[in-house]
Amino acid sequence: MKNIRPQLPTFSEDIRLLVATLPEPLQAALLRLDLDNLLEVVMDLGRPPEARFAGEVVRLAEQPVDHEDLAHVTDLVGEFGSDNRAGIERTLHRISAIRNRKGQIIGLTLRVGRAVLGGIELLRDLIETGQSLLILGRPGVGKTTKLREMARVLADDLHRRVVIVDTSNEIAGDGDIPHPGIGGARRMQVPQVERQHAVMIEAVENHMPEVIIVDEIGTEAEAGAARTIAERGVQLIGTAHGNTLENLIKNPTLCDLVGGVQVVTLGDEEARRRRSTKTVSERRAPPTFDIVVEMIDRDEVLVHPDTAAAVDQLLRGVAPRGERREQAANGQIHVEVREAAPEMLPDTEEERSGYRGPARIYPYALSRELLERVIRSLDLNARTVGGPEQADLILALRSRSDDLRLRRVVEKTGAALHFIKRNTANEMRRLLERAFHVLEGIEGDELHEMVAETEAGIRRALAEGVEVKLAPRRPALRKMQHRLIAGRGLLAESSGKEPKRHLVIRPGGGE
């Protein structure tokens, strides 16, 4: 039979369908710009309309948006669902509405959707295994784009029976005919967001899929449906709310996706062997997803190829490193296998002196969460531990310098003791930079300047809700900036070319 599957439309064809929904003066203004890099158009009642690009915002008109302008757009797009999202038939564009207390639309975000071919080479070997795969990452990093391309590759290249559970029509576009970007995969729409779990079960019971793809697993019911699907032998590929595997473990609603957590009481002998308290947290069940991928950026991921082992290590206070994969501009993929830290601490002083795992740091009467955030932002080969007796390095407030218990621990274990003035991230960062000689070849002044600028930008983005452009930085510093910004729940995008490549902090975003 002749293949009559529709061809993927060109981006210029797709983007003009979005432009055509705008009032004519805005169309004319937008067509004079470089639409290849357009991210979204924002129309808020009483404010001038804007076109947003990576690192730049362009005002499309001086005249404020009025109710007539908003009605013009809403009349030309699809029907808004209960999630206040609509689309344009057979495109991937997304139109999101802001309503007032009476339910009237007072703002629109017209988000540009793109089908990107060849975007999953970093993960292709993983989906070919048939194992279930969970993707985590901050908003706007490209998780939905990855799902769309996975669906196409699984259906067209690997000839699997693929069903997409498309809650907001983000994966396969608006309308009853799915976008060609999903290839031969089938799509099931979800009538109401709260029924996503029911459609997930319906998909596996009624349509005999080999693979089910679902975006944004976010409720306990959806987590339960995911486990049901995986237990029936169907490959499940999905995304979930959370930036990292550690975040997911701490989420009581979604931790079942990676096996769940239970508190158990150890016997005296086992507790001594582990050098832990008698009450510890352990994984409750096998994970729903065999593999977890943390998306750091569109072209950089951290892969945990064995979810069960990674969760077990995290619950023991060990940071599993997994595989860090990065795709260069020329398409070459670099894979760095980073071993996890040893799970057990040495029992003798002789073993202790030969320890070569990550440095073990204990925050004495300080914020452990704050310390862990600083360790991640500096990308140190270090981890926090549950007690001062297990530490190589102890951080404490200077006001605790006369603490007798602290002095006894230091004398007994030989751990290094460092004091800081205040329980703040800046104080911890400065001390750890000195202790670990962070970023060789980068002067301390440059590092402090970067941190100060980034934190000021974060504060402005949070307070004013605006995009903030940062100064150009070398790649190593930009990676640190990404971690600092992501740690505050914001989106950072790279813009420009070397040596002027820089980050732009955005107050929010989606896939």
Side-chain angles (χ1 to χ4, degrees):
M1 181 181 292
K2 187 177 180 180
N3 186 358
I4 58 172
R5 184 172 297 149
Q7 296 297 309
L8 195 67
T10 65
F11 176 67
S12 61
E13 293 171 341
D14 252 2
I15 191 66
R16 287 181 182 273
L17 292 174
L18 181 66
V19 174
T21 65
L22 299 172
E24 288 188 8
L26 302 190
Q27 292 187 37
L30 200 55
L31 289 173
R32 290 194 291 268
L33 304 175
D34 178 15
L35 299 184
D36 287 344
N37 296 310
L38 179 65
L39 297 177
E40 61 189 17
V41 175
V42 174
M43 300 175 64
D44 288 331
L45 185 66
R47 294 180 175 179
E50 295 178 344
R52 295 184 174 180
F53 300 82
E56 184 181 14
V57 177
V58 177
R59 184 171 290 184
L60 297 177
E62 295 302 323
Q63 186 72 20
V65 172
D66 56 26
H67 285 290
E68 187 177 341
D69 295 326
L70 296 173
H72 179 94
V73 177
T74 57
D75 288 344
L76 293 176
V77 302
E79 184 178 348
F80 284 90
S82 59
D83 55 358
N84 279 316
R85 293 178 180 179
I88 301 171
E89 191 163 349
R90 302 193 72 182
T91 76
L92 301 173
H93 307 310
R94 186 181 79 195
I95 295 87
S96 301
I98 298 175
R99 299 179 186 270
N100 63 14
R101 293 170 66 183
K102 296 179 181 179
Q104 298 169 320
I105 293 177
I106 58 171
L108 292 172
T109 302
L110 291 83
R111 179 85 184 287
V112 177
R114 295 174 172 85
V116 182
L117 298 181
I120 63 158
E121 294 310 309
L122 277 172
L123 306 175
R124 183 173 180 131
D125 61 315
L126 302 179
I127 66 172
E128 289 178 347
T129 65
Q131 293 180 294
S132 291
L133 177 75
L134 180 65
I135 302 176
L136 305 173
R138 65 186 187 276
V141 79
K143 300 189 296 295
T144 304
T145 301
K146 286 281 191 290
L147 288 186
R148 187 181 303 117
E149 180 66 353
M150 286 179 179
R152 186 190 66 81
V153 169
L154 284 163
D156 292 0
D157 297 355
L158 303 179
H159 310 293
R160 307 266 176 86
R161 298 190 302 274
V162 181
V163 173
I164 298 169
V165 177
D166 205 359
T167 304
S168 298
N169 286 358
E170 281 198 67
I171 301 177
D174 206 50
D176 294 335
I177 301 175
H179 190 275
I182 68 169
R186 305 180 73 189
R187 186 264 295 272
M188 293 182 67
Q189 299 186 50
V190 180
Q192 291 94 28
V193 175
E194 57 272 16
R195 284 190 49 77
Q196 176 170 288
H197 68 284
V199 178
M200 291 168 65
I201 297 299
E202 181 184 342
V204 73
E205 290 181 344
N206 290 0
H207 302 288
M208 295 182 62
E210 294 175 291
V211 184
I212 286 182
I213 293 179
V214 60
D215 200 6
E216 295 186 0
I217 299 172
T219 68
E220 188 174 353
E222 290 160 10
R227 178 169 290 279
T228 298
I229 291 169
E231 288 174 349
R232 296 189 184 190
V234 177
Q235 182 180 10
L236 181 63
I237 298 176
T239 67
H241 301 299
N243 291 351
T244 65
L245 177 58
E246 188 173 1
N247 294 151
L248 204 64
I249 291 173
K250 295 177 180 178
N251 185 326
T253 302
L254 298 180
C255 65
D256 185 60
L257 295 174
V258 291
V261 179
Q262 63 182 356
V263 177
V264 300
T265 302
L266 304 176
D268 293 339
E269 185 176 342
E270 179 65 12
R272 281 195 298 271
R273 189 182 72 82
R274 296 192 188 187
R275 296 188 66 179
S276 69
T277 60
K278 294 184 67 174
T279 303
V280 298
S281 296
E282 291 188 347
R283 179 168 49 85
R284 184 177 63 247
T288 299
F289 290 91
D290 308 295
I291 303 168
V292 171
V293 175
E294 298 176 14
M295 287 192 65
I296 301 169
D297 209 337
R298 292 183 183 273
D299 298 315
E300 184 179 2
V301 299
L302 179 63
V303 177
H304 299 288
D306 185 342
T307 302
V311 171
D312 291 345
Q313 289 161 356
L314 280 167
L315 292 176
R316 293 188 182 108
V318 177
R321 294 294 184 176
E323 296 177 1
R324 187 175 292 274
R325 302 182 177 190
E326 191 167 4
Q327 187 167 11
N330 61 6
Q332 289 189 335
I333 296 174
H334 173 70
V335 179
E336 177 189 355
V337 179
R338 303 180 70 175
E339 297 297 331
E343 294 186 9
M344 297 304 299
L345 296 174
D347 288 324
T348 67
E349 190 64 32
E350 182 180 356
E351 290 175 321
R352 184 184 180 87
S353 63
Y355 179 72
R356 292 296 180 268
R360 297 165 297 202
I361 307 176
Y362 178 72
Y364 190 85
L366 297 172
S367 169
R368 183 170 181 173
E369 181 181 354
L370 214 57
L371 176 59
E372 289 175 344
R373 189 190 306 165
V374 171
I375 290 172
R376 288 195 298 270
S377 72
L378 295 175
D379 197 24
L380 299 180
N381 185 27
R383 63 184 177 90
T384 61
V385 290
E389 297 83 2
Q390 304 165 357
D392 304 308
L393 186 153
I394 298 174
L395 294 187
L397 290 173
R398 188 169 296 172
S399 59
R400 296 265 183 170
S401 58
D402 295 328
D403 189 308
L404 293 179
R405 176 174 178 259
L406 179 59
R407 291 295 180 185
R408 282 197 293 267
V409 169
V410 171
E411 290 172 4
K412 180 180 178 181
T413 64
L417 176 61
H418 292 271
F419 293 109
I420 58 179
K421 291 181 180 178
R422 293 177 296 276
N423 185 20
T424 66
N426 280 338
E427 288 278 334
M428 294 178 183
R429 184 179 294 109
R430 281 193 286 269
L431 190 146
L432 293 182
E433 286 167 1
R434 294 195 301 270
F436 287 82
H437 307 290
V438 170
L439 295 175
E440 292 183 12
I442 296 178
E443 296 296 330
D445 290 345
E446 182 185 6
L447 186 62
H448 293 313
E449 178 191 348
M450 179 277 291
V451 172
E453 181 205 27
T454 305
E455 291 183 339
I458 290 170
R459 289 194 295 272
R460 185 182 171 201
L462 289 171
E464 302 177 20
V466 297
E467 294 183 348
V468 180
K469 178 180 176 180
L470 302 178
R473 301 287 180 186
R474 64 184 77 185
L477 289 174
R478 288 201 306 272
K479 284 190 175 183
M480 289 182 61
Q481 287 179 310
H482 269 295
R483 294 187 180 95
L484 288 169
I485 295 164
R488 299 294 296 276
L490 297 175
L491 169 64
E493 292 185 349
S494 296
S495 181
K497 296 182 179 180
E498 301 291 358
K500 295 184 178 181
R501 194 159 176 81
H502 61 277
L503 296 191
V504 178
I505 304 175
R506 298 185 61 205
E511 253 56 87

